[in-house]
Amino acid sequence: MYKILLLIVALFVVAGCTMKGTYNRLDWMLTEYLESYVELDKSQKAALRQRMQATLEWHRRTQLPAYSLWLKSVKHDIRQGITQPQVEQHGLQLLVFWRAMMVRFSEDMAVLLPQLDAKQREELFTSLADKNAEYHVDYIQLSHEQQRKNYIKRMDDIFDGWLGSVTRQQEQRIIASADQIHYIAKDVLKTRMRWQLQLREILQNHKDTVTTQVALQKLFVEPETLRSDRYNQQLIHNAGIISHLITDVANQLTDKQQKHLFKRIDKYIKLFDELAEEAQPQQAARQCEAC
């Protein structure tokens, strides 16, 4: 279920008009994505689409302006020479954004999921089990060396996307971090399966609507409560490695890389500002219709 939120985040790496057009269709895309897990009846689909439209309007009105301000702050700090504590603080701000989306999304799911009948619930959990099996093949049934290579490729792709291409020195830092990072796929899957088991128990024991909705919202907003101590320590370790890597690379930018990075940041700032401004006319139009 978390992939639906990853989809939102992934949209922010899509460029220009494509991003804008996709964002404006996000309510439809998210509804279709959920239906890849469980088929909804007409009334459920209509209710979900309505809730997704409201969520998208909330996101456009309240979250996109905050993203824009955050990017301006990131740009300023990089220009001045960013420190690791600043990188960590920006990372914490991303978690704040993520949690805000989870809180809003949990409200929608807390209303929808209890409405699924027994057949739909089984379809949902079968789909989740299939995704678990795919994850096991893609991330766990790999040698340590293959996981290492995949990590290096992911990091290369991320930095290349923002900087144009990395220098030899920056590439060496990425490779060095690959030998320090903890590969956590097994713990990710274990935690995911605990989360899914708790979701099943909540839905199976559903009697009181309010109690069920509160339990579902807590499950979506606080998944970290299901992590093992070992997993939490690994995440803390990895966060330190990644923040150190980002700090080093950011302070080794060539003039060409900095120009490429700032141009891309400015494009997203402009995009978020434009999308946020579009919320005002839409809100005014709805108020006029109500009158």
Side-chain angles (χ1 to χ4, degrees):
M1 299 297 288
Y2 290 114
K3 286 187 177 180
I4 195 169
L5 290 171
L6 289 175
L7 173 62
I8 296 173
V9 176
L11 287 173
F12 296 146
V13 300
V14 181
C17 294
T18 301
M19 165 64 182
K20 193 170 185 178
T22 303
Y23 185 91
N24 289 328
R25 297 174 59 246
L26 194 54
D27 59 321
W28 177 84
M29 292 177 63
L30 293 179
T31 302
E32 292 298 309
Y33 185 84
L34 274 175
E35 281 215 290
S36 70
Y37 282 86
V38 55
E39 184 175 357
L40 305 176
D41 62 34
K42 289 184 178 180
S43 62
Q44 289 171 332
K45 184 184 293 189
L48 175 60
R49 181 72 57 80
Q50 185 176 28
R51 294 193 71 90
M52 290 294 99
Q53 288 174 345
T55 294
L56 184 58
E57 291 173 5
W58 162 84
H59 189 263
R60 184 195 301 270
R61 187 178 66 257
T62 68
Q63 300 302 291
L64 293 185
Y67 296 171
S68 177
L69 290 174
W70 174 73
L71 283 174
K72 291 173 183 176
S73 177
V74 169
K75 182 180 177 181
H76 173 270
D77 288 345
I78 292 174
R79 191 187 297 277
Q80 297 299 316
I82 198 166
T83 65
Q84 185 168 344
Q86 287 175 323
V87 170
E88 292 170 352
Q89 187 59 45
H90 287 305
L92 290 175
Q93 183 58 59
L94 283 176
L95 290 178
V96 171
F97 292 151
W98 178 267
R99 186 176 178 85
M101 286 198 298
M102 288 300 297
V103 168
R104 179 72 188 211
F105 181 70
S106 71
E107 295 171 358
D108 295 332
M109 293 301 100
V111 173
L112 170 69
L113 291 175
Q115 297 176 4
L116 300 179
D117 60 29
K119 182 179 179 181
Q120 288 175 313
R121 291 199 300 270
E122 284 309 308
E123 181 185 359
L124 170 63
F125 288 108
T126 297
S127 298
L128 292 172
D130 290 343
K131 295 297 182 182
N132 291 342
E134 292 176 10
Y135 184 89
H136 192 277
V137 171
D138 293 341
Y139 295 98
I140 297 178
Q141 287 184 348
L142 299 176
S143 66
H144 181 272
E145 181 57 26
Q146 187 58 56
Q147 291 182 23
R148 180 178 178 276
K149 289 180 179 178
N150 289 349
Y151 164 85
I152 292 172
K153 184 179 185 305
R154 286 196 301 272
M155 298 307 294
D156 281 341
D157 290 344
I158 291 170
F159 281 113
D160 284 347
W162 285 101
L163 306 180
S165 62
V166 295
T167 65
R168 181 175 298 181
Q169 183 181 9
Q170 292 163 347
E171 176 67 16
Q172 289 303 312
R173 278 294 292 115
I174 292 172
I175 293 172
S177 72
D179 295 325
Q180 300 171 304
I181 208 82
H182 289 165
Y183 297 99
I184 58 176
K186 289 182 180 179
D187 289 285
V188 170
L189 183 57
K190 287 179 182 177
T191 305
R192 179 186 294 183
M193 294 175 71
R194 290 191 197 104
W195 188 92
Q196 293 167 6
L197 178 60
Q198 191 161 333
L199 175 63
R200 180 187 285 273
E201 290 175 353
I202 292 172
L203 294 180
Q204 285 181 338
N205 297 328
H206 168 53
K207 294 179 181 179
D208 175 67
T209 299
V210 174
T211 301
T212 299
Q213 289 183 350
V214 169
L216 286 171
Q217 289 180 37
K218 180 179 175 63
L219 182 63
F220 276 92
V221 175
E222 302 178 3
E224 65 275 6
T225 60
L226 300 176
R227 297 172 186 160
S228 66
D229 290 340
R230 173 177 177 272
Y231 184 21
N232 280 324
Q233 290 301 315
Q234 288 178 323
L235 289 175
I236 293 171
H237 171 84
N238 286 354
I241 298 300
I242 296 300
S243 63
H244 191 188
L245 171 63
I246 293 173
T247 304
D248 284 351
V249 172
N251 287 306
Q252 296 171 359
L253 297 180
T254 65
D255 291 342
K256 183 177 181 180
Q257 286 177 325
Q258 187 177 90
K259 182 178 179 180
H260 187 281
L261 173 62
F262 288 172
K263 181 178 180 180
R264 189 168 187 188
I265 289 176
D266 288 342
K267 179 168 64 177
Y268 287 123
I269 290 172
K270 179 181 178 182
L271 181 61
F272 294 154
D273 287 344
E274 289 177 350
L275 285 167
E277 288 173 3
E278 289 177 5
Q280 305 305 321
Q282 291 177 8
Q283 187 175 21
R286 286 192 298 273
Q287 291 174 345
C288 287
E289 291 176 0
C291 296

